[in-house]
Amino acid sequence: MSVTRSGWQIYISSLVGKAGLILLIFMVVASIYVLATYPLDYGIRVWSNPKSWADNPITVPPTWVDFFTGRDLVTHHITITTTSKGTETIAGLKFKVYELDYDLEEDGFPTYLMIKIYNVSMYSERGVYFVINFTRPDGDEIRLITFAEVPPPNSDLPYIAFSKNEKIIFLSKERSVGFSLLTYINSKYNLNYTIDKLNEINYNKVLFGIPTEEGGEVVWKPLKGVYKINVYMLGEDKDNIAMLKAVFGGESYGFLGTDDNGRDLAQGLLFGFPVALAIGFFTSIVTTAIGASLGIISGYKGGRVDEIIQRISDVVYNFPFLPIIILIVFIISRMPGFPRLLAIFGAIVALGWPGLTILIRSMVLSLKQSQFIEAARAIGASDRRIMFKHIFPNLAPFIFAQMIFFTPGAILAEAALSFLGLGDPNIPTWGQIIEESFRAGAALNGWWWWVLPPGLLIMLAAITFVFIALGLEPIVNPKLQER
Amino acid sequence: MVKNILEVRDLYLYYKTYKGIVQAVDGISFNIPEGQTLGIVGESGCGKSSTANTIIRLLPKNTYKYEGSIKLNGEEITTIPMDEFRRTIRWRKVAMVFQGAMNSLNPVLKVGFQVAEPLIVHLGMDKSEALDRARQVFEKIGLTPAFLDRYPHELSGGMRQRIVIAMAMIMNPQLLILDEPTSALDVSIQAQIMNLLKSLKKEYHLSMIFITHDIALASDISDLLAVMYAGEIVEYGPIEEVLLNPQHPYAQKLIASIPRLREDKEPEFLPGNPPGLINPPKGCRFASRCPYRFEKCSEAPDLVWINGNHYVKCHLYSEGK
Amino acid sequence: MGVPRYLGVKAFNLMLVLLGVLLLTAILFGATGLSDKILRAIISEEVRGYRAQLSQQKGLTPEEINNLVEQYKKNLEIEYGLDKPWYVRLPDMIRRIVILDLGTSKHMTSFTGSNQIRDIILERIPYTVMLMTTAVLIVFAIGLGFGTWLSTKVGSLWDRGLSFFASISYATPTWWLALLLILIFSYYLDVLPYGGLLSPNPPKEFLPRLLDMIYHAILPIMTLVIALSGSAIYIYRSILVSTATEDFVTVARAKGLPENLVLRRYIIRPSLHPILTNLVLGLAGSLTGAILTETVFNWPGMGRLYYEAILNIDEPLILALTYVFTLIYVAARFILEILYIVVDPRVTVE
């Protein structure tokens, strides 16, 4: 049909039409990327799993805020080692040495220092003894902490410690580290700090800084350079640490920062693309299909069928939308095992169809009078054939435009329901992420990176379809075409 | 010599659309002697309605060129400032019955008030006095005074058209413009309306412009006839002259297309479409459809005097052919 | 069709809506087994209390206690109607709700401590009205004002800018905009409170208390106004433009009527039907749709009450609120039908 060709030309000549199409392509590409690279059970396996995010800094802004703050924020850094540097004999005892390096380049303090020890194998009942030393760029070596790990009695050797749960030592919080630091700074810089005073200024500043005097006050300034964490292990020769990890907490993280679980928001938000598109598409397709078929049947068949469909659609059309949809989703999603996103989908469809039914019915009523329908009926075409082969194709462009127009509404409804806590916490949708940011008080704490991007993405998704709908309008609505 | 109620000289109305500039009225001139009716005929989209709207200065928002002279009763009205034009000319001197009279009435106001409204606005009459006057006009036009209190949707098409005419007559205008006043009506009602107009014309010695695409209808009421084609008046003259002795090839075709009752002659029909009013051809605008076309037609023709008050815009009649 | 018959037909249809909503709510609660579950939880709670009370009394053998408890439980089940299936029990509940015998809430109480649902709802309505109605009226004034202005400038740069702005406004979730404004005005600028009805130690006198409330209402109202204005302007502009292109407007101009009279009498007046539809349904919708805004701003209105009722699975309160919401909506529809008759002589025909 030539109509489609010229329709396409009209569509693509409009600015909003073009913009909508470009945005849609962008969204589809992002979704394909996610589907190709993320595991299907990403939500449960990664997003809702605290272990995936344990090494991340909590509620830090994106790395690119450097451009605006005028200061290089300390980037998050993780150093891992799996091999020992060698052995060292101290006071006649042979220690296995593991070294973890870190180069502080930015003008700031890492927000925390954490060390993690994985899978230590021991070949003697006496166990192992750890000493953790910290070497600063100025050459000073501070003994931070020492501790022992003994295999439980009657266990088979080699005994593996820290296998299920790795040993986590929060060096910048650990009390014994505090005392080590206190001795160090009081002797080196002639300060007479108490442990309370030290707790007040936080260990990370002392670990990674030097005191300077400013107006009679002691101010800690970051000390740039290479830091080394040396883990000494005393035990049998065969005793071994499988992996050591040092986490230097960043002041910023990733492209879109992190939430209060340390989750990389960029990852979660990216995952939201296919979810939003899927919800938008499926709800609008199903809603439009139901609404349009009922409208066609109602308008064409007339009589009792028409009466019933019209009554029901009128009643449902007049439901107060938000309260009822919340109620439906809430009750359905309380049925055990029922997927919540499916409940949301079902509720939007259940309340969304009547508008289209009413519209299509009135269009069918006037189409029914036209001669080609009369002719089809005169040659004895069946009702079904007339509805599918004659009426539907005539309304198809309009129905298609209505479908597009319904999509942003569906996306916004899903987001709103998720925001009210009715969504699936295991699937990071944009609404879900804002809900979590709301519960964590992100706006009140100024964590804008957790508030703005998900909302902007919802807007982007909605506006994509609004633009496409606007671009389609002059094609579908011939009255506008004349102007 | 009879005084001219209206003299139009070199009137232009161009307006801009996103496709280009529409030359809706392109340099037309005509006179209407007092008490006479000028019929303007032509195909739809030839600029008839634009001509009418230009006289009452209902210009489109995107007007590009509005030029020329319109003298009403000898007074130049194109130079009157807009607000004064509204207060002194519209409806007081020039009233109009619009095309699509079905929608000419405000659906939420009683028709009596709509008819009386100009008296209240222009003459400061109070409402009851104005309604009294409206009642008189209603009676004159053959409408029951009870209709004053009706809403438009309660009345038939013919009734509504009578009310629209009553509305136009309420201020005793010097000139009444009728733009396709009957095109939306049944033939029987059309005849009633035409009879009403003819009696009004006689009784009030009314000057009118009667715009229609139906040349037979125009001949029923007009004293003068102007044939418009693509924004121009191609032939202008007394009604009998133009009808019986059409000069312009387009006018000839147009008149030949009227079906005759008692003649054994097939009505002719004119192939092709008139040119668009955006970028019309440089020369004669009818050239592409004209059977008598020759080289000179690529130049724009001037208005040529035939005899008396009969003019034609065609190279066939220019000197030195 | 005469006016009474017309209104009668409309009223009948709206009653169907009301019944439809209640039926749907009842079926949702009943068919999913939620209703039974809630009742069972309540009964077992009471039975446990009774058993504890009996065991305090002396001279009762464990067997006697068990018998008494069984009997008590049976009585309770009959009292709550659990001996009957939900489709027998719930219609009675609907009947009581319809006559506004709303019953008592299971978990929530009013600020004064009453658990009568009627008290709880009546207490909340004014707060919702104060917030939402104010916002909707401001939006209406802005929408009609700018819409009228823009309707005279069709196709201008302003006009095209508006349709873009309206698209963005439509695509912006109000509740997210609320968070954005909290971030700006409460966190960065620190000039407006982020939520609640009153300050932590609210003044006792009427006027300062009212001012404190208004101070707290600024941000939510601002949110609603920003979020809804774009679409409102666009809608009113479109309504007026479609009237302005009618023939009778041209006729009015030809009649020499001054432009402001044309606008008032020939453009706005005939457009009152759709304008009122938007205003009245906007007012009704705002009362029922306050759930999101009130939740974000912790505003103790009906919307937040509904949200809390849902979180607490307070079945009678949910049913009652759903009914009240629908009632408000249906009442607004009916008022609208009456208004139509006043502003539009064409309505009762057809």
Side-chain angles (χ1 to χ4, degrees), chain B residues 78-95:
Chain B
T78 53
T79 52
I80 299 176
M82 190 57 216
D83 194 55
E84 195 187 329
F85 186 88
R86 174 181 72 72
R87 278 185 285 110
T88 58
I89 306 296
R90 283 188 182 169
W91 234 250
R92 301 188 80 157
K93 293 186 178 160
V94 183

Side-chain angles (χ1 to χ4, degrees), chain A residues 482-483, chain B residues 13-24 60 62-65 276-280:
Chain A
E482 283 165 18
R483 279 189 200 156
Chain B
L13 179 73
Y14 292 3
Y15 55 88
K16 251 188 190 156
T17 66
Y18 70 104
K19 282 182 188 149
I21 291 162
V22 179
Q23 307 183 357
N62 41 359
T63 297
Y64 174 76
K65 178 177 178 182
L277 295 175
I278 299 168
N279 293 322

Side-chain angles (χ1 to χ4, degrees), chain A residues 71-93:
Chain A
R71 182 176 75 84
D72 249 6
L73 295 179
V74 176
T75 37
H76 194 65
H77 190 82
I78 296 173
T79 310
I80 293 175
T81 183
T82 50
T83 50
S84 159
K85 202 176 75 167
T87 56
E88 206 171 302
T89 311
I90 304 166
L93 299 168

Side-chain angles (χ1 to χ4, degrees), chain A residues 311 314-315 318-320 322-324 326-328 330-331 334-335 408-409 412 415-416 419-420 431 434 438 442-448 451-452 455-456 458-459 462-463 466-467 470, chain C residues 12-13 16-17 20-21 24-25 28-29 32 34 164 167-168 170-173 175-176 179-180 182-183 187-188 194 288-289 291-292 295-296 306-307 310 313 318 322 325-326 329 333:
Chain A
R311 267 288 138 72
D314 189 50
V315 166
N318 279 307
F319 278 2
L322 200 56
I324 301 286
I326 289 173
L327 188 69
I328 296 178
F330 176 75
I331 292 179
R334 282 188 63 82
M335 289 158 79
L412 291 170
F419 175 70
L420 285 174
I434 303 182
F438 174 60
L444 306 179
N445 287 301
W447 300 331
W448 54 266
V451 180
L452 293 186
L456 288 174
I458 294 169
M459 282 179 70
I463 215 140
V466 172
F467 280 174
L470 285 178
Chain C
F12 177 73
N13 285 342
L16 282 183
V17 172
V21 166
L24 176 79
T25 320
L28 275 174
F29 272 106
T32 56
L34 189 59
F164 184 72
S167 315
I168 294 198
Y170 176 76
T172 310
W175 42 273
W176 174 73
L179 292 175
L180 190 66
I182 289 175
L183 192 65
Y187 179 77
Y188 285 113
Y194 58 84
T288 63
I291 298 165
L292 287 157
T295 300
V296 177
Y306 189 72
Y307 181 61
I310 286 213
I313 330 178
I318 294 172
T322 310
F325 281 149
T326 317
Y329 185 80
R333 286 300 309 238

Side-chain angles (χ1 to χ4, degrees), chain B residues 86 103 106 114 117 122, chain C residues 248 253-256 265-266:
Chain B
R86 174 181 72 72
N103 303 320
N106 185 334
Q114 295 190 60
E117 194 181 23
H122 289 300
Chain C
F248 58 77
R253 293 214 170 90
K255 278 159 91 173
R265 200 177 276 167
Y266 285 81

Side-chain angles (χ1 to χ4, degrees), chain A residues 264-278:
Chain A
D264 182 0
L265 285 167
Q267 238 185 65
L269 291 173
L270 197 58
F271 188 78
F273 275 98
V275 182
L277 270 190

Side-chain angles (χ1 to χ4, degrees), chain A residues 93-96 120 122 126-132 143 145-150 231-236 239 241:
Chain A
L93 299 168
K94 222 164 87 184
F95 285 87
K96 236 178 177 171
V120 176
M122 294 178 255
R126 277 170 295 142
V128 290
Y129 182 71
F130 295 98
V131 177
I132 299 178
R143 173 158 307 171
I145 196 167
T146 59
F147 65 98
E149 177 70 17
V150 183
V231 177
Y232 298 85
M233 183 174 70
L234 178 64
E236 298 293 313
D239 288 358
I241 303 174

Side-chain angles (χ1 to χ4, degrees), chain A residues 170-302:
Chain A
F170 231 110
L171 290 173
S172 54
K173 278 276 190 302
E174 192 70 36
R175 202 168 160 76
S176 56
V177 173
F179 285 109
S180 307
L181 290 174
L182 198 62
T183 325
Y184 166 68
I185 53 166
N186 280 352
S187 65
K188 172 149 191 190
Y189 301 111
N190 285 326
L191 299 165
N192 44 357
Y193 275 19
T194 58
I195 188 72
D196 292 337
K197 171 83 177 169
L198 187 64
N199 286 340
E200 214 173 275
I201 56 173
N202 286 334
Y203 302 170
N204 63 329
K205 288 194 182 163
V206 177
L207 280 168
F208 298 100
I210 44 168
T212 53
E213 215 176 282
E214 246 172 48
E217 291 275 321
V218 175
V219 177
W220 288 86
K221 288 269 171 69
L223 176 65
K224 292 185 188 180
V226 176
Y227 291 80
K228 284 194 176 90
I229 298 171
N230 288 310
V231 177
Y232 298 85
M233 183 174 70
L234 178 64
E236 298 293 313
D237 284 352
K238 284 201 288 180
D239 288 358
N240 183 47
I241 303 174
M243 187 169 86
L244 264 170
K245 192 193 261 180
V247 181
F248 303 87
E251 293 175 288
S252 62
Y253 186 87
F255 181 59
L256 288 174
T258 59
D259 68 6
D260 64 344
N261 284 316
R263 293 190 280 205
D264 182 0
L265 285 167
Q267 238 185 65
L269 291 173
L270 197 58
F271 188 78
F273 275 98
V275 182
L277 270 190
I279 288 183
F281 269 130
F282 287 125
T283 40
S284 57
I285 286 175
V286 176
T287 310
T288 314
I290 294 175
S293 2
L294 286 177
I296 292 176
I297 293 171
S298 170
Y300 183 75
K301 291 259 181 177

